[in-house]
Amino acid sequence: MSVTRPEPPVYVLDGSGVTDRAAFYAALGAALNGPGGYYGSNLDALADCLHGGFGPTPPFTLVWEDAGTARRHLTGTVVIGERRLDYFDAILATLRSEGVAVQLR
């Protein structure tokens, strides 16, 4: 007898207004928890949310619409482990390391 596992949920992040870090976390909170929802306010808080208690926990898929806007605006270097990343890539690394499948559009 085979066990069928349900597909992980899919959430859509509207990235059209992501022009700074606060706008990213507001858009992510809205995508995952509805309007005005919270899902972190910095990388450490994002990692905490991914571990539970603040909305969905991985695995899930995040479809990031208009990701190019965020890539242009979420700059600045962040060190994760021994890697130096720009902030946009640090977000992706944090999400993916916790089991979120991210689709950039």
Side-chain angles (χ1 to χ4, degrees), residues 2 47 67:
S2 66

Side-chain angles (χ1 to χ4, degrees), residues 21 24-25 41-47 73-95:
R21 294 176 187 188
F24 164 72
Y25 290 106
S41 59
N42 57 49
L43 291 173
D44 289 333
L46 172 58
H73 290 92
L74 298 178
T75 59
T77 302
V78 177
V79 177
I80 297 180
E82 295 184 13
R83 300 182 335 176
R84 297 176 63 83
L85 303 168
D86 69 10
Y87 201 82
F88 180 84
D89 289 328
I91 291 168
L92 294 178
T94 300
L95 291 167

Side-chain angles (χ1 to χ4, degrees), residues 1 14 31 37 40 52 62 66 68 83 97 104:
M1 181 166 135
D14 176 5
L62 181 67
D66 201 4
R83 300 182 335 176
S97 72
L104 302 177

